[in-house]
Amino acid sequence: MGQPSFQASNAIIYLTYGAFLVLGTGIAWRMRNQSKQDFLNSNGTQSALGAGILFSYPELATITGVQGVIIYALASALPMLLFGALGPIIRRKCPEGFVLTEWTRQRYGTVAMLYLSFMTLVTLFLYMVAELSALGQVVSTLTGIDSLPVIIVECVITTIYTSLGGFKISFLTDVVQGGMVVGLIIIATITVGAKTDIQRDLIDSSHLLEPSLLGWQLLYILPVAVFTNDFFLSNFWLRTFSSRSDKDLWIGVSIAMVTILCILTLVGCTGLIAAWSGAWPGEPAQAGSLAFFLLLERLPNWVVGIILVMVVSLSTAAFDSLQSAMVSSASNDLFRNRLNIWYIRGMVVLIIIPVVVVALRASSILQIYLISDLLSAATIPVLCLGLSDRLYWWRGFEVVVGGLGGILTVFIFGAIYYGDAKEGAQLLLLENGLYANDWSAFGAFVAAPFGGLLWGFGALALRLSFQYIKAKIRHERFDALDRPLMTRTVSDSDVPRETVVTSTKAGKFF
């Protein structure tokens, strides 16, 4: 196998960590006089790809072929453009915010904001678990060394430099990471092309050029899963709010979209190459998630070393963004920025302990992503209805009931589909994965958003009925559907007055 020696592997890993530590702390020292607000969000100044992509994208390629690679790459990249479209709307409605939950509090009230904050923190927790689990599996597969020390060192290093420099550090590490990843992907692509022989008979026998039922299902599943889940990732919103202007935001998301599309397509194609070169499934047969690493067996040791640097860089840059996003979300949403930031940091460090424990036990990275995808698919559609000024009567009560109802609908669908309540509950965890040879995963991702909307409108009817009856009993006018009052505000700069919508009822939960 193309595997660096024990000494070389340790040198590569810890020198990469050392570079991130020196870079992060150095920048943090230069920014030591920044305010707390800048520490948390960097508003008015300036997509994380983690090590998990080396498992999930090649695995999908071995199952749904070219069709799956293209759909997965597009579904992961194109949502960046939606941030460019929706970001300016939310920024105008909540100019002082820097995460989605701030707009939610302003629009729907505290209860809905706390609900979304809880879902956001759960999603960040799951992503941190997936990132560390992927790092551990990559290190074990490529080097054979114990992954626990590597995981712990990454947690310690990212905690040090993000604690000193705040979210600006993760911006800058992402820039360094992006340039390095592009270069390394190019090197790896050239090497695979030069050193790997494609067997034409395997292309036909693999059937990976043919469309499949799952491939067509993914046309719906993946855009819904990826787009709604991106809403839960605070690091996306921190970057959205921190853009200097809408034009800068569009430029940023466009560049990110093209970069992500190219990288993920190349990574996904390694699954195809592994199958067509005979590296996968191997003897004995291996899981599709290992296709990328089975391909590495046929490459020189120095290429494996480069891939190892790429993996550590990907994981470190992604993990520091998730860590900073959790600090920002907890500080802003739960404590309204009134608690000392070091207490928040301490809480996040404590949370990292169970993250490491779960990561060491987690075997399916894709399943972790899918669980968070279902949560977001149930919540985000009912939340986004509030972006329309025409739906001024939509309240936080509908958002919370709709989100929870969407999750319940997945259970109901699963119980009916399988004829078993236990299997219906297991569908919430997608224990059969995305690639079950049936309609269960597709049905779950239909049930979550549409069930959430149905429950939301049911909650709307219940609330309006209650308020109507209460008004009649008290002999008061029923005003639940009144339009908000119109006022005029003046900005601090010399610009014309702008008409905005306000109301004494705006932002209430009920």
Side-chain angles (χ1 to χ4, degrees), residues 107-112 393-401 459-468 470 479-480 504-510:
R107 174 62 177 81
Y108 293 114
T110 302
V111 176
W393 33 260
W394 194 253
R395 296 282 186 266
F397 179 69
E398 288 88 83
V399 173
V400 175
V401 173
L460 171 66
L462 178 64
R463 177 177 64 82
L464 293 179
S465 298
F466 173 78
Q467 291 178 322
Y468 179 80
K470 185 176 72 171
D479 60 355
T504 56
K505 292 180 176 294
K508 288 188 176 181
F509 174 72
F510 191 73

Side-chain angles (χ1 to χ4, degrees), residues 204-335:
D204 295 329
S205 61
S206 68
H207 304 290
L208 294 180
L209 292 177
E210 302 172 4
S212 63
L213 174 61
L214 177 58
W216 294 119
Q217 291 177 344
L218 293 179
L219 282 172
Y220 168 80
I221 294 175
L222 291 178
V224 171
V226 174
F227 173 60
T228 59
N229 198 250
D230 283 350
F231 266 74
F232 273 175
L233 297 180
S234 299
N235 46 326
F236 280 108
W237 287 109
L238 284 161
R239 286 158 174 76
T240 298
F241 278 105
S242 67
S243 299
R244 288 189 176 90
S245 65
D246 293 348
K247 180 181 178 180
D248 290 338
L249 177 60
W250 271 109
I251 294 174
V253 297
S254 298
I255 294 174
M257 186 271 293
V258 174
T259 302
I260 291 173
L261 180 62
C262 295
I263 292 175
L264 296 184
T265 300
L266 290 172
V267 172
C269 285
T270 61
L272 302 175
I273 297 172
W276 294 341
S277 65
W280 179 85
E283 289 291 340
Q286 301 292 324
S289 59
L290 297 176
F292 177 78
F293 305 102
L294 293 174
L295 185 61
L296 292 183
E297 292 183 355
R298 306 189 173 193
L299 301 181
N301 289 352
W302 67 270
V303 178
V304 178
I306 290 179
I307 297 298
L308 192 58
V309 173
M310 181 188 75
V311 169
V312 174
S313 300
L314 280 171
S315 183
T316 304
F319 194 78
D320 70 33
S321 293
L322 295 170
Q323 196 173 350
S324 295
M326 182 172 282
V327 171
S328 296
S329 296
S331 179
N332 182 70
D333 303 341
L334 301 183
F335 301 103

Side-chain angles (χ1 to χ4, degrees), residues 184-195:
L184 294 176
I185 285 288
I186 293 174
I187 294 174
T189 301
I190 294 173
T191 308
V192 169
K195 299 292 184 179

Side-chain angles (χ1 to χ4, degrees), residues 10 12 73 98 100 115 130 134 141 212 280 316 327 360 391 436 475 482 506:
N10 279 285
I12 291 171
F98 56 90
L100 182 64
Y115 168 73
T141 303
S212 63
W280 179 85
T316 304
V327 171
L360 292 173
L391 302 182
H475 302 289
D482 286 359

Side-chain angles (χ1 to χ4, degrees), residues 4-5 11 59 87 101 118 146 176 184 234 236 242 313 334 336 342 348 369 406 413 415 457-458 492 509:
S5 66
E59 180 181 10
T101 45
F118 173 76
D146 186 8
V176 174
L184 294 176
S234 299
F236 280 108
S242 67
S313 300
L334 301 183
R336 305 297 303 146
W342 290 104
V348 173
Y369 289 147
F413 164 77
F457 279 101
D492 293 335
F509 174 72

